Amino acid sequence: MSDAIIKLTLPDGSSREYQKGITGKEVAESISMGLARAALSVTVNGDIIDLDRPINNDGDITINTWDSEDGKYTFWHSSAHLLAEAVQDLYPEAKFGIGPPIESGFYYDIDFGDQSISQDDLTKIEQKFLEKARNKNEFERRDVSKDEALSFYKDRGNEYKVDLIQDLEDGTITFYEQGDFTDLCRGPHIPNTGIVKAIKLTNLAGAYWRGDNDSKQLTRIYGISFPKQKMLEEHLNMLEEAKKRDHRKLGKELGIYMIDKMIGSGLPVWLPNGTRLRRTLESFLRDEQFERGYKEVITPHIGNLELYKTSGHYPYYQDSQYNPIEVDDEEYMLKPMNCPHHHRIYSHELRSYRDLPLRLAEFGTVYRYEQSGELSGLSRVRGFTQDDAHIYCTHDQLKQEIKHTIDLTNHVFDTFGMPVDIRLSFRDDNDEKYGGEIELWERAQQEIREVADEMDLDYTIAPGEASFYGPKIDFIIRDAIGRKWQLGTVQVDYVMPERFDLTYVGSDNEKHRPVIIHRAPFGSMERFTSILIEHFAGNFPVWLSPEQVRVLPISDDQNDYAQKCALQLKDKGIRVEVDGRSEQIGAKIREAETSKVPYMLIVGAKEAEDDTVSVRRHRKGDIGTFNFSDFLSDLTEEIDSKALPEED
């Protein structure tokens, strides 16, 4: 092949040959003009670059539109520059720190000097932002020397950019310009500012420069932007809906959990309703695991420091772990991960190829040190329980075991009505980030991709997103209002068998290394529960609801019949309460509705005489009077089928 020709591989696996130096825009045009019009940037071999940048080497290429993560990243990166340009016009003395895209939008840290801005000022900044966007200025990239970059910002008195430039290598520094605004930036950016049609500046916050409490506090302006005004309106509606579903609010109202300062920040306490919910989730997964050949284990909450040094979790993740505890001249740590304990379980006896695959599972509590400002309800905590499992298998068994874990994970999210996007997270060319032999990595990545193809999965590939010990499959779920959450993961590990010297005796009577699959559908019971609360807005399906039925006697005369009904429900394992208070029936109904109890059984004199119940369904009202045995049969069937709530 001539040096002037390069081969680019598209996401569908097809390859095309192009002249060396072709741009991403030209590649998009060669596929379709519609794609070219929608293109915001391209990702080549894991790096996102501008559409007009030349491509000189073979590799994988993805054309990034708004519908892709890399496309949004590019769009919001450019929007951060537009925000800075608008601020520069309105506040000429402002000095700019950093302005990155984030998961949902962007921010810019700005030193406003002696001026101060408030939430009320954001509207005029938005208006100036849109004015600048309508100019349709192109984002122009320019290479600059380190001396030129330093001189540029020293002349403007911007000590923040000077500080950043000091850490950069000469020959790697670029400026981007749009209109009258210039910024230190490596890119990428969208073709021109006119693509941005809608903006909402959402919040103001203080941010110390480089996170150093001893440095100056800057003003951080958060925002989000869209290529259409309608998208912004939909986003704002989603935010309003999200407020109603906030698990911190509903968790308190429904008695799911509490955070108590005397116990400790970030250490949730599961209340009775939350404990019922969590145990139901655990039982669901435990039953599935049992049927699929998993063996459950329990490991301690602390471990010898040497265990985590062997695994590499210490000191590699030292900043997120609690300090070691000295005991009897040895050092122990609060458990940051379950996997090292499982590896020691594997190695405590000689294993044969006939013992494999060995599937060890645990609901194991681990502890991580999170900054106090990052703690949030159940979603970001310092102590949490993982639904961890580690599968030890031969190389020949690997593909089949990956299929089993994918099948289980998909089944879990299907049960909760959560659509799944699948991402194959592979290594990039930075060898320093990864352990193990490259040949084993290539084999594992090939096998993961073959599994995805054989299972006809719709997936994307993300170079550079692999764990340090192996490639992985990430499951990104979408909740009821369209938000995405990365939850389940399946990771292939060739590193830990080496670190822990794990072996099995093969059919040739020689010792071999097993392969390890790390697997956790829920990920964290705490975080998954927070998502589940918001997904269902607290209106759980009956099988999951902490309280499934509440019996409401109209008067004290029906208390005995109410208790009789409750006992029959309990005999079937149904979670039921009786509201036997001397209150008006209307008040009892309102309280049950507020508590989001799926079924209310109203029993008066006629129901007690006829052995019937008048049934109310949460959010639906009266659904009729039923013979009690018929209601019990229908309810049991609904619970056993794990039926999802009907949409309103």
Side-chain angles (χ1 to χ4, degrees), residues 589-608:
I589 291 171
R590 284 192 297 274
E591 186 167 318
E593 284 285 349
T594 300
S595 300
K596 300 182 184 291
V597 181
Y599 283 104
M600 290 148 269
L601 305 185
I602 300 166
V603 294
K606 182 167 177 56
E607 285 81 10

Side-chain angles (χ1 to χ4, degrees), residues 118-135:
S118 67
Q119 204 77 20
D120 294 338
D121 296 309
L122 297 184
T123 300
K124 70 177 180 181
I125 299 175
E126 289 172 358
Q127 291 169 349
K128 180 62 71 172
F129 178 106
L130 291 172
E131 176 188 318
K132 293 293 181 182
R134 285 191 288 269
N135 290 333

Side-chain angles (χ1 to χ4, degrees), residues 305 312-324 333 336 369:
L305 185 61
H313 292 106
Y314 186 93
Y316 190 79
Y317 296 113
Q318 186 174 353
D319 290 344
S320 64
Q321 296 172 7
Y322 286 96
N323 291 331
M333 278 186 62
Y369 175 69

Side-chain angles (χ1 to χ4, degrees), residues 255-273:
I256 303 295
Y257 76 100
M258 72 177 207
I259 302 288
D260 182 82
K261 288 185 178 179
M262 187 172 286
I263 294 172
S265 299
L267 300 173
V269 175
W270 294 82
L271 299 174
N273 279 349

Side-chain angles (χ1 to χ4, degrees), residues 254-256 271-278 546-547:
L254 300 177
I256 303 295
L271 299 174
N273 279 349
T275 301
R276 288 181 193 143
L277 174 61
R278 174 170 158 173
E547 182 183 348

Side-chain angles (χ1 to χ4, degrees), residues 501-553:
D501 192 24
L502 304 184
T503 62
Y504 67 90
V505 178
S507 57
D508 57 1
N509 287 324
E510 297 292 330
K511 287 188 175 181
H512 302 269
R513 292 266 186 245
V515 188
I516 302 173
I517 300 173
H518 301 243
R519 182 241 67 189
F522 293 145
S524 152
M525 299 303 296
E526 285 73 10
R527 185 165 182 264
F528 184 75
T529 300
S530 75
I531 293 168
L532 207 61
I533 291 170
E534 297 186 6
H535 176 60
F536 289 117
N539 302 304
F540 299 112
V542 181
W543 74 273
L544 197 56
S545 184
E547 182 183 348
Q548 296 166 319
V549 178
R550 188 174 295 182
V551 187
L552 310 177

Side-chain angles (χ1 to χ4, degrees), residues 304 325-332:
N304 194 295
I325 308 161
E326 192 167 316
V327 182
D328 296 335
D329 298 324
E330 291 186 305
E331 289 185 297
Y332 287 78

Side-chain angles (χ1 to χ4, degrees), residues 282-502:
E282 290 177 356
S283 294
F284 161 61
L285 186 55
R286 185 174 280 117
D287 290 346
E288 288 293 332
Q289 289 175 163
F290 179 78
E291 290 183 8
R292 296 166 192 256
Y294 286 82
K295 297 179 179 180
E296 191 166 4
V297 297
I298 299 174
T299 62
H301 289 246
I302 65 172
N304 194 295
L305 185 61
E306 292 303 315
L307 177 67
Y308 308 114
K309 286 182 177 179
T310 300
S311 69
H313 292 106
Y314 186 93
Y316 190 79
Y317 296 113
Q318 186 174 353
D319 290 344
S320 64
Q321 296 172 7
Y322 286 96
N323 291 331
I325 308 161
E326 192 167 316
V327 182
D328 296 335
D329 298 324
E330 291 186 305
E331 289 185 297
Y332 287 78
M333 278 186 62
L334 287 171
K335 180 171 61 172
M337 286 283 200
N338 297 305
C339 39
H341 297 248
H342 291 191
H343 304 334
R344 294 301 295 163
I345 291 173
Y346 177 92
S347 64
H348 93 287
E349 62 181 82
L350 184 65
R351 304 288 179 179
S352 160
Y353 71 96
R354 294 187 178 90
D355 300 323
L356 305 184
L358 175 65
R359 308 179 186 99
L360 300 179
E362 176 179 20
F363 290 97
T365 302
V366 298
Y367 301 89
R368 311 272 176 84
Y369 175 69
E370 300 282 358
Q371 297 289 335
S372 58
E374 296 176 339
L375 299 174
S376 179
L378 288 176
S379 61
R380 197 73 179 264
V381 294
R382 288 174 171 163
F384 55 93
T385 301
Q386 294 179 313
D387 57 320
D388 250 340
H390 297 91
I391 302 162
Y392 304 83
C393 62
T394 69
H395 291 273
D396 292 339
Q397 295 168 336
L398 180 61
K399 280 180 66 174
Q400 192 60 40
E401 289 304 308
I402 293 172
K403 288 181 180 180
H404 289 163
T405 57
I406 291 172
D407 181 69
L408 172 60
T409 306
N410 278 334
H411 172 70
V412 167
F413 295 130
D414 284 347
T415 300
F416 299 105
M418 295 173 168
V420 174
D421 295 328
I422 292 178
R423 182 178 69 200
L424 309 186
S425 296
F426 289 171
R427 68 182 287 158
D428 56 21
D429 295 330
N430 185 357
D431 294 341
E432 294 180 1
K433 290 166 55 178
Y434 311 105
E437 299 175 14
I438 184 64
E439 294 81 7
L440 295 177
W441 272 86
E442 290 174 348
R443 176 177 176 177
Q445 291 182 171
Q446 177 64 26
E447 288 174 326
I448 284 176
R449 191 164 186 166
E450 287 174 1
V451 165
D453 290 336
E454 289 169 13
M455 297 183 74
D456 199 25
L457 301 178
D458 184 11
Y459 63 85
T460 59
I461 295 177
E465 294 297 321
S467 299
F468 80 92
Y469 49 76
K472 58 194 177 88
I473 306 168
D474 292 319
F475 295 80
I476 300 157
I477 64 99
R478 279 173 282 132
D479 67 14
I481 57 175
R483 295 171 299 181
K484 290 186 177 182
W485 311 88
Q486 183 178 328
L487 287 178
T489 184
V490 175
Q491 303 175 356
V492 178
D493 179 3
Y494 284 104
V495 174
M496 292 302 156
E498 295 286 343
R499 285 181 175 268
F500 282 89
D501 192 24
L502 304 184

